Amino acid sequence: MSRIWLRNPKAVHLGRNTDATADGGIVIDTETGTIVELVPAGREPVGGRPVDDGASSSGPAGAFDEIIDVSDHVITPGLINTHHHFYQTLTRAWAPVADFPLFGWLTNLYPVWARLTPQALELATTVALAELLESGCTTAADHHYLFPTGMDDAIDIEVEAVRRLGMRAMLTRGSMSLGEEDGGLPPQRTVQDPEVILADSRRLVETYHERGAGAQVQIGLAPCSPFSVTTELMRESAALAADLDVRLHTHLAETLDEEDFCRERFGLRTVDYLDSVGWLGDRTWLAHGIHFDDEEIARLGAAGVSVAHCPTSNMRLASGIARAVELEDAGVHVGLGVDGSASNDASNLIREVRQALYLQRLRYGAEAVTCERVLDWATAGSAAALGRDDIGTIAVGRQADLALFRLDGLAFSGSHDPIPALVLCGAEKADRVMVGGQWRVIDGHAIGADGQALDKEALIAAHREEARRLVSG
């Protein structure tokens, strides 16, 4: 057994519903990638006798391979991103849509995104994952619904990028089947036939979906939104997800325009529509979920539906403020998502924690929305939204997915309490990040699964060139 002792952290956010302490540190088994011991303050681990501090040694049985002094670090569970569109890193801060709400934003970007190529997607995905990783994120959900000509292997490309970076991911096979000619929002060249969508969805699940504790790559089914897919595809996707035992994801109740669309096209509010197509169940997690009334919140909670709260995107597009506290109190699992980098302009999850805190305090006040609560949304809540119980908290037997943040520099000077400081003073980057017992960020820089530092300069140069090509046509 190979073990690492992260000794004497400045503070640890273990996650919700725990009475344990880890002030003396965390012991990790690097072979299984799990947490094997939480050490109380002033104590040494009971599971092994330490060798020389900081040294690597086979040592006697039970000795540690490495002891790392983390007294300058705040440790949290690895942050979990429940909603993203990786490809959108190519269209950040594009002036023609900088000041549009959702529908105008989409209709102007669809023609640009329709020019996506495999190389562009590979670069966009790598940039998104690296940025997330360096912000303390260890697991990311992506909603990829764009499959123009030549992009049949889009999810396969994402799988390879995830494996290269050594992260975990829930990659959803998104879809659009309702084009402009049939009353939908997207242009016809961006939609696919339902038969093609469902066949590829089955292929991806059967090829890539991993089950059980420690899964690295999982696949979900994700028709894009009520205004871009047919009712039939929604129903067929729900049936296929049940058959394959995978999760369902879609945008819902993001804007009042969407609510109006559902009333006009289906004669139903969004949650009624969700129920009518067989999606009102615990397999489903929804992106945004802003415009629900009291009765709908109760129904979502009773059904075990989850919601990905995306505060920055919701503010950027002026979509509204999700009723996150009421959703959670009703039994909905609330997680956090950065959303696409064209409606957030960043893929930074620790920054999203702070945004969630402040946006939700506008609705509910400071006492109801604590620093610990929003950290739980980004960790345990997000894990539950993705249907996972092996990540999202720091506990014996859980995956050793950890984010370590330093509270140094001018931004933290004068701060007193580490956990509030992490959120309130605006942490931007993690110093170290571990996924399954392996370091994936060291000294603030992403390290690939091959153990080599990511060549970010080359990545940025290639990514910028693809971004220029995409918007110039």
Side-chain angles (χ1 to χ4, degrees):
M1 183 180 293
S2 299
R3 293 191 173 193
I4 296 175
W5 177 15
L6 305 179
R7 186 172 67 179
N8 298 334
K10 181 184 291 288
V12 182
H13 179 79
L14 296 174
R16 61 176 59 150
N17 301 326
T18 179
D19 294 325
T21 62
D23 294 340
I26 301 167
V27 179
I28 295 130
D29 178 353
T30 60
E31 291 184 3
T32 65
T34 59
I35 297 166
V36 294
E37 189 173 350
L38 302 181
V39 184
R43 302 279 295 277
E44 290 192 348
V46 299
R49 179 170 62 82
V51 295
D52 292 339
D53 288 6
S56 294
S57 168
S58 57
F64 293 99
D65 292 86
E66 191 173 12
I67 298 172
I68 301 175
D69 180 4
V70 292
S71 57
D72 290 331
H73 294 84
V74 175
I75 303 179
T76 73
L79 307 182
I80 300 169
N81 177 31
T82 56
H83 185 65
H84 207 326
H85 306 291
F86 293 159
Y87 74 91
Q88 290 183 14
T89 60
L90 294 159
T91 50
R92 299 195 231 223
W94 190 47
V97 296
D99 302 314
F100 279 25
L102 179 66
F103 275 24
W105 177 86
L106 280 171
T107 54
N108 281 276
L109 278 167
Y110 280 141
V112 175
W113 294 335
R115 295 192 286 267
L116 193 66
T117 65
Q119 179 179 346
L121 177 61
E122 189 275 328
L123 289 166
T125 300
T126 303
V127 165
L129 290 171
E131 188 180 3
L132 284 167
L133 194 58
E134 291 185 358
S135 76
C137 177
T138 54
T139 301
D142 187 59
H143 188 180
H144 188 86
Y145 53 80
L146 198 70
F147 295 85
T149 302
M151 290 299 299
D152 294 342
D153 296 333
I155 306 301
D156 306 78
I157 291 168
E158 292 191 332
V159 169
E160 291 307 309
V162 168
R163 289 176 173 168
R164 281 198 308 275
L165 270 294
M167 293 179 69
R168 304 187 200 277
M170 168 69 79
L171 302 175
T172 65
R173 205 300 181 180
S175 53
M176 296 194 295
S177 64
L178 185 68
E180 289 174 317
E181 294 177 4
D182 299 310
L185 203 63
Q188 289 301 125
R189 66 182 182 276
T190 64
V191 303
Q192 292 181 296
D193 292 334
E195 295 78 12
V196 172
I197 293 165
L198 295 168
D200 193 46
S201 297
R202 180 178 289 276
R203 175 188 72 85
L204 290 166
V205 173
E206 292 176 348
T207 303
Y208 296 118
H209 185 71
E210 301 173 17
R211 302 182 188 275
Q216 182 180 20
V217 174
Q218 295 189 315
I219 304 293
L221 308 188
C224 184
S225 62
F227 51 81
S228 61
V229 297
T230 63
T231 298
E232 292 75 17
L233 182 61
M234 289 290 286
R235 289 198 182 99
E236 290 168 350
S237 295
L240 183 60
D243 179 50
L244 298 174
D245 189 23
V246 296
R247 295 186 76 73
L248 287 165
H249 186 52
T250 193
H251 298 90
L252 198 77
E254 182 177 359
T255 67
L256 292 174
D257 286 343
E258 180 189 329
E259 185 71 44
D260 293 340
F261 180 93
C262 286
R263 286 179 179 274
E264 293 170 9
R265 186 171 182 89
F266 312 120
L268 299 168
R269 285 179 57 86
T270 50
V271 174
D272 291 326
Y273 173 71
L274 199 71
D275 194 8
S276 74
V277 294
W279 279 58
L280 197 61
D282 60 7
R283 194 181 299 282
T284 298
W285 92 99
L286 306 171
H288 304 289
I290 297 170
H291 299 286
F292 298 132
D293 63 25
D294 293 349
E295 180 187 6
E296 289 166 339
I297 288 173
R299 290 171 64 192
L300 292 167
V305 173
S306 303
V307 167
H309 177 37
C310 305
T312 300
S313 177
N314 297 162
M315 288 186 281
R316 159 79 148 79
L317 298 174
S319 300
I321 304 175
R323 298 171 67 180
V325 168
E326 292 161 272
L327 284 162
E328 186 171 56
D329 289 348
V332 172
H333 297 300
V334 174
L336 290 188
V338 300
D339 201 6
S341 293
S343 65
N344 181 324
D345 307 291
S347 302
N348 188 310
L349 197 50
I350 189 61
R351 185 187 298 169
E352 208 69 24
V353 172
R354 189 179 191 226
Q355 296 283 63
L357 180 88
Y358 291 150
L359 183 62
Q360 289 300 316
R361 282 186 174 185
L362 286 177
R363 182 181 284 278
Y364 298 107
E367 293 179 349
V369 186
T370 64
C371 295
E372 288 79 7
R373 187 170 196 168
V374 292
L375 280 170
D376 281 342
W377 288 345
T379 53
S382 287
L386 299 185
R388 300 194 65 154
D389 60 7
D390 61 327
I391 57 177
T393 58
I394 297 174
V396 172
R398 298 293 175 93
Q399 295 296 303
D401 291 9
L402 304 170
L404 285 69
F405 298 89
R406 297 179 67 95
L407 304 184
D408 51 15
L410 290 174
F412 295 97
S413 181
S415 64
H416 297 275
D417 298 301
I419 298 299
L422 179 68
V423 180
L424 298 174
C425 295
E428 291 283 328
K429 292 187 68 174
D431 181 57
R432 282 182 173 248
V433 177
M434 176 179 281
V435 182
Q438 303 298 317
W439 293 115
R440 295 295 178 236
V441 172
I442 296 177
D443 297 331
H445 299 289
I447 306 294
D450 62 0
Q452 301 299 308
L454 191 66
D455 187 346
K456 286 190 284 190
E457 288 188 7
L459 174 62
I460 291 167
H463 182 259
R464 283 178 172 168
E465 182 57 34
E466 285 296 328
R468 283 192 290 268
R469 181 201 63 78
L470 199 68
V471 299
S472 65

